[in-house]
Amino acid sequence: MKRKANGKALLPMIVFLVIYLGIGIYYEYINPPEGGMGFYIMSVVVAFMIALVVAFFQNNDLNFDEKIHVCTRGIGDDNITTMLFIFLLAGAFSGIASAAGGASSTANMLLSIIPPQFAIPGLFIIACLISMAMGTSCGTITVLTPIAVGVATTAGLDMAFCVASVVGGSMFGDNLSFISDTTIAATKTQGVPMKAKFQENFKIALPAAIATLALLVVLCLNADNGNIDLTGLDFNVWQALPYFVVLIAAIIGINVFIVLGAGTILFGFVGIGTGTLGLDSTLQSLGSGVNGMFETMIVAILVGALGALMEHHGGFEYILEKVKKYSRGGRGGQFGIGILTSVLDIATANNTIAIVLAGPIAKNISEEFDITPEKTASLMDIFSCVWQGIIPYGAQLLIAAGLAHISSVTIVPYLFYPFFLLIAVVITIIVGEGRGKKNK
């Protein structure tokens, strides 16, 4: 049933953005807490709860029980349910992989075979691979930033430059990973296979990564980096092996549930076999990994409920009308999806939340402008990746800056990959409209 466009139905989302962004700006730049990140003072779950309360006070044509029923339909959507199950498995995998020492062993093993003068381009490539295998940019940054700091210190290189190479590679891998929460959110909100989204993303992300790598190589060739010492790095091949197994299995198209389940079991055996895990620590790492996904899962549930109410009240139809008014053809629709996702990511400083929020609206836009679901999923993931990799108040840059003891703002000028990615996706939309359209 076609809803009547109603701009007032978007009020809950405006309330969320004002509360979350306003409090984040206040505590990040006006009254920063000691040793904390201002944008994480206000719980995103609480902000969404307030927005949901506002939504319940709208539309007097429905009583409270009817509004609850609308929410349950949104939460019970097949894509939301599947997303929640994958988040659980991804959390378990991430927890046990980290505890087993897989990330550090993989990084050190790859660094040990890279010529010292190409350490910074090497860090970029390693960040790409580890982030694709781990499915988390933040986890990759946490593992690799201390190594980048060591490279910068021993060679007398610019600290922000070295750290930025890690951040850029981490965003590349996170954007393409089959087990990243952004991939899960983008594909499930659009109802497309992860491999189809990967193929769309790869055509855009690879040229941006190649351009970044080429620039890093040129800059390193012109720098004095003879003091870099990468000898004596400690690693265990067995601890690194499961990451490559998971990466290959995901790329060839094996079901994500099988990939994550098998990867979790494999890391458990490797961790116990190499002595990094015992039975007790294995169980604890599984639990901590799953616990780390709880906030993301609650947000997905709340967004499902809030989105269903806003759609029922005509909010999505209102956005669609505005996009149609200012857009011309498929290119305009694709830019509309990109701008919508970008605004939400800049406002929430969380690419997963931005995608979950944008997903239902983007689906409506894609249907109206005849854009394929896989292209829509790809656009949401890419645009959220671009801005999440640039905004100095996002978790990625705040973590990297904290570990390197520098300002997150100083990293931004060296974030070549997100800027190249933005250029690549804009060019793709302009010159490749036909490839984004459904076949009749």
Side-chain angles (χ1 to χ4, degrees), residues 13 16 48 303 306 316 344 348 352-361:
M13 186 54 57
F16 165 77
F48 271 119
V303 169
L306 182 61
F316 291 0
L344 290 172
T348 61
T352 304
I353 294 172
I355 291 171
V356 173
L357 282 171
I361 306 173

Side-chain angles (χ1 to χ4, degrees), residues 216-240:
L216 290 175
V217 169
V218 170
L219 292 174
C220 285
L221 287 174
N222 294 325
D224 180 14
N225 47 24
N227 296 324
I228 299 176
D229 183 11
L230 298 179
T231 60
L233 294 174
D234 184 36
F235 64 88
N236 185 305
V237 175
W238 289 106
Q239 292 172 3

Side-chain angles (χ1 to χ4, degrees), residues 345-346 348-350 386-394 397-398 412 415:
D345 188 81
I346 292 170
T348 61
N350 187 302
V386 166
W387 296 107
Q388 193 64 29
I390 294 175
I391 52 175
Y393 52 85
L397 262 66
L398 290 176
V412 175
L415 292 168

Side-chain angles (χ1 to χ4, degrees), residues 97-408:
S98 177
S104 57
S105 278
T106 304
N108 289 342
M109 182 180 72
L110 293 173
L111 272 174
S112 66
I113 61 176
I114 293 174
Q117 64 269 31
F118 296 117
I120 294 177
L123 281 170
F124 175 76
I125 296 173
I126 292 168
C128 291
L129 294 174
I130 292 182
S131 189
M132 281 188 68
M134 291 179 69
T136 165
S137 54
C138 288
T140 304
I141 290 168
T142 301
V143 171
L144 291 183
T145 297
I147 298 175
V149 170
V151 169
T153 302
T154 57
L157 299 174
D158 188 289
M159 184 71 71
F161 177 38
C162 293
V163 172
S165 67
V166 169
V167 175
S170 299
M171 297 312 298
F172 171 87
D174 193 3
N175 180 228
L176 289 177
S177 175
F178 283 74
I179 57 176
S180 164
D181 47 3
T182 57
T183 295
I184 295 166
T187 54
K188 294 309 170 185
T189 57
Q190 304 308 305
V192 297
M194 293 183 181
K195 190 173 183 178
K197 196 275 291 184
F198 173 84
Q199 291 169 343
E200 287 286 343
N201 272 28
F202 192 72
K203 291 180 290 187
I204 301 170
L206 182 62
I210 292 174
T212 302
L213 184 60
L215 180 57
L216 290 175
V217 169
V218 170
L219 292 174
C220 285
L221 287 174
N222 294 325
D224 180 14
N225 47 24
N227 296 324
I228 299 176
D229 183 11
L230 298 179
T231 60
L233 294 174
D234 184 36
F235 64 88
N236 185 305
V237 175
W238 289 106
Q239 292 172 3
L241 182 63
Y243 271 136
F244 294 103
V245 172
V246 166
L247 187 58
I248 294 170
I251 290 175
I252 64 178
I254 297 176
N255 183 281
V256 66
F257 286 102
I258 297 175
V259 171
L260 287 172
T264 301
I265 294 171
L266 190 57
F267 262 120
F269 280 121
V270 167
I272 292 174
T274 59
T276 56
L277 290 175
L279 180 59
D280 56 341
S281 56
T282 299
L283 297 175
Q284 288 173 348
S285 64
L286 289 171
S288 62
V290 171
N291 288 341
M293 281 291 184
F294 279 178
E295 182 177 78
T296 302
M297 295 173 66
I298 295 299
V299 166
I301 292 170
L302 290 173
V303 169
L306 182 61
L309 280 175
M310 289 195 300
E311 181 181 24
H312 192 88
H313 297 166
F316 291 0
E317 190 63 33
Y318 177 82
I319 293 177
L320 183 58
E321 281 192 1
K322 293 300 179 183
V323 173
K324 287 167 63 177
K325 181 179 179 180
Y326 296 104
S327 301
R328 296 292 182 269
R331 290 190 184 93
Q334 291 180 53
F335 276 119
I337 293 169
I339 293 170
L340 171 68
T341 309
S342 298
V343 170
L344 290 172
D345 188 81
I346 292 170
T348 61
N350 187 302
N351 45 351
T352 304
I353 294 172
I355 291 171
V356 173
L357 282 171
I361 306 173
K363 191 174 182 66
N364 287 358
I365 295 173
S366 68
E367 291 171 352
E368 180 66 28
F369 287 90
D370 203 25
I371 303 167
T372 61
E374 53 266 30
K375 170 63 74 173
T376 302
S378 173
L379 288 172
M380 289 195 300
D381 206 345
I382 286 175
F383 275 99
S384 69
C385 172
V386 166
W387 296 107
Q388 193 64 29
I390 294 175
I391 52 175
Y393 52 85
Q396 286 78 1
L397 262 66
L398 290 176
I399 291 171
L403 290 170
H405 302 292
I406 58 177
S407 168
S408 61

